[in-house]
Amino acid sequence: MENPGHGAILSACRHILPLPLPVGTQSEFPYMASDMDLKSLSQEEVYRFAAEHGLPRYRAGQLLHWIYERYVVNLQEVTEFSKTLRNELAQIASISNLDLAVRQRSLDGTEKFLFSLEDGQTIESVLIPDKDRLTLCISSQAGCAMGCSFCLTGYIGLIRNLKAYEIVDQIISVNRRIAPRRITNIVLMGMGEPLANFDEVVEALWRITGLMGISKRRITLSTSGLVPKLLELPQKAPDVNLAVSLNATTDEVRNRIMPINKTYPISELMSACRRYPLRPRRRITFEYVLISGVNDTQADAKRLVKLLRNIPCKVNLIPYNPDEQSSMKRPSDETVLAFQKTIADSNITVLVRESKGQDILAACGQLKARYGKKAR
Ligand code: SAH
Ligand code: SF4
């Protein structure tokens, strides 16, 4: 049964209607100026918005459910509401959506989604099926300011931060398109440095865990090591898994391939990791891109073991993914295996992660959306 008092939405919102526009510019749609994108609001703000417009609290709960768990793209799809209520709501609110520009499938089953944003910028997400898992690798920024020398996203520089809803909408948008399958795991390892877009990423994490029902254990945030934000993260965000892109064992090499190291050198980064509050049985993942002749020697492997002493952790070795123009190379399989063995012999869990989707440029470090190819 519909609550008979829904006319209240319109009467209650009258007080926020704009003053009439000068003759000649009068909008033919009287409520347009109060049009509110519900995805731009946090959970609490949706409740407040509903209250301010005379809607009972449970209606806000229903809206959140339809947006974040049923992936509706407009208010007319909220069929739990009467036609009248949907029409009334549609006059004061809307639901924005990312535009899917391209969807590409790799031979190994990985899929890349290129989305265009309201301002024409583009970002990428990568869907990686693996046994019973369906992981979506999402972007937190368009481009990235960190300038790591091995990474194409870094090469294009920062275009702009994403809003929380643009981060979350990557998941909504993909889930809607792959139904009845559903994404089970999220990694913030797409374009961008999540901790450089701290507030929006934290808000996105609250929505993903609180509204989309994805467990924080199934979410991993990867950072290049913005130490102050790394230490602030557990105070502000749900305690998702942490991955740290270490990629070198000396400041000399790390300064060269990851300029962030000049601000937060290895010793500071490792000390932050040691202080990082971990729940029992949780571990930090250290990512290490193996680049031939740069960071792949046995001496590096031994130094890595020393650096990781007393940190509950595991290591993911990622053989470097080249792009057409780069001069860097991935090491031979023997070098990769020898590196892995030295770490494993020290009783640290270590996996070699072959990036998926290389044929469609969806692998780690290859995301650059549509920003063109600059010469390296
Ligand atoms: N900015 C964050 C998350 C995005 S990068 C970070 O740096 O952690 C995700 C991962 O891709 C990082 O571990 C990074 O080291 C790795 N990566 C970047 N370029 C790569 C490349 N060309 N080959 C292999 N891995 C790469
Ligand atoms: Fe940015 Fe991460 Fe790429 Fe470095 S590796 S440039 S931090 S996206």
Side-chain angles (χ1 to χ4, degrees):
M1 268 277 286
E2 273 314 325
N3 181 330
H6 287 315
I9 309 177
L10 292 188
S11 49
C13 78
R14 262 176 214 134
H15 69 278
I16 54 165
L17 286 179
L19 289 172
L21 297 169
V23 180
T25 56
Q26 188 86 40
S27 162
E28 54 180 2
F29 188 57
Y31 300 101
M32 195 128 79
S34 55
D35 182 51
M36 175 59 78
D37 173 13
L38 295 173
K39 279 185 183 161
S40 71
L41 303 179
S42 66
Q43 178 172 14
E44 217 186 293
E45 285 164 348
V46 171
Y47 279 105
R48 212 179 310 141
F49 177 82
E52 279 168 5
H53 291 88
L55 275 177
R57 197 176 157 76
Y58 73 93
R59 288 291 185 211
Q62 287 171 326
L63 272 174
L64 289 166
H65 168 74
W66 281 79
I67 293 173
Y68 290 98
E69 288 178 90
R70 311 225 16 199
Y71 321 129
V72 290
V73 292
N74 61 50
L75 284 160
Q76 295 304 338
E77 286 188 355
V78 185
T79 48
E80 199 174 4
F81 290 179
S82 72
K83 195 95 189 118
T84 316
L85 177 55
R86 280 183 257 162
N87 288 338
E88 283 183 354
L89 255 181
Q91 292 185 43
I92 55 167
S94 59
I95 299 172
S96 69
N97 299 285
L98 292 185
D99 265 350
L100 179 64
V102 181
R103 177 175 176 175
Q104 265 181 303
R105 202 186 159 85
S106 152
L107 294 171
D108 64 20
T110 303
E111 286 190 76
K112 184 163 83 169
F113 296 80
L114 177 84
F115 294 107
S116 48
L117 309 176
E118 283 154 5
D119 58 358
Q121 301 300 344
T122 49
I123 51 165
E124 292 178 344
S125 317
V126 181
L127 183 67
I128 309 153
D130 185 18
K131 298 187 194 108
D132 54 345
R133 281 191 194 186
L134 200 48
T135 301
L136 190 69
C137 175
I138 58 175
S139 296
S140 56
Q141 299 180 306
C144 179
M146 297 299 142
C148 303
S149 62
F150 48 83
C151 171
L152 265 186
T153 310
Y155 191 66
I156 60 178
L158 179 65
I159 312 287
R160 74 162 168 87
N161 279 333
L162 298 188
K163 293 283 181 197
Y165 68 87
E166 292 170 323
I167 300 171
V168 176
D169 226 24
Q170 298 168 57
I171 309 170
I172 292 179
S173 191
V174 172
N175 258 344
R176 187 177 163 97
R177 288 180 166 87
I178 62 170
R181 294 182 303 158
R182 265 187 185 223
I183 293 157
T184 60
N185 292 61
I186 300 291
V187 291
L188 281 101
M189 294 185 188
M191 304 174 76
E193 167 49 53
L195 297 186
N197 185 16
F198 191 82
D199 293 346
E200 298 296 327
V201 165
V202 168
E203 169 60 24
L205 289 174
W206 284 115
R207 291 192 204 179
I208 298 167
T209 52
L211 297 173
M212 303 197 70
I214 300 182
S215 152
K216 53 197 182 184
R217 282 166 192 276
R218 290 175 170 265
I219 302 172
T220 302
L221 180 149
S222 174
T223 178
S224 57
L226 284 178
V227 168
K229 294 294 178 192
L230 180 63
L231 291 170
E232 199 182 335
L233 188 68
Q235 297 161 24
K236 301 273 168 69
D239 65 335
V240 298
N241 301 308
L242 178 70
V244 173
S245 300
L246 189 55
N247 298 344
T249 58
T250 65
D251 283 328
E252 190 270 319
V253 174
R254 200 164 189 269
N255 285 347
R256 199 149 34 91
I257 61 174
M258 298 184 74
I260 179 76
N261 196 69
K262 294 177 195 159
T263 315
Y264 306 111
I266 292 179
S267 57
E268 274 186 46
L269 177 57
M270 300 319 286
S271 136
C273 291
R274 262 187 204 94
R275 278 182 284 151
Y276 195 84
L278 285 173
R279 292 187 179 232
R281 293 195 302 280
R282 304 280 291 270
R283 294 182 284 179
I284 297 179
T285 302
F286 286 92
E287 291 156 289
Y288 196 97
V289 179
L290 280 167
I291 309 168
S292 177
V294 174
N295 61 2
D296 62 344
T297 63
Q298 279 303 304
D300 282 304
K302 285 178 192 147
R303 274 194 297 269
L304 182 57
V305 169
K306 270 198 194 144
L307 286 173
L308 300 180
R309 197 171 286 152
N310 300 327
I311 304 180
C313 68
K314 56 186 171 185
V315 173
N316 280 347
L317 301 176
I318 319 170
Y320 170 67
N321 286 309
D323 63 88
E324 303 131 36
Q325 286 137 357
S326 72
S327 52
M328 295 178 174
K329 294 202 164 40
R330 67 173 273 161
S332 67
D333 290 351
E334 296 76 60
T335 308
V336 173
L337 287 177
F339 199 98
Q340 181 185 28
K341 184 170 184 315
T342 303
I343 295 165
D345 287 348
S346 312
N347 289 323
I348 297 174
T349 309
V350 51
L351 291 173
V352 176
R353 290 260 183 225
E354 282 297 347
S355 293
K356 301 279 184 72
Q358 304 201 20
D359 53 331
I360 54 165
L361 293 182
C364 288
Q366 295 186 328
L367 302 186
K368 69 170 176 4
R370 281 188 185 154
Y371 300 108
K373 290 178 193 166
K374 291 189 203 167
R376 283 216 168 205

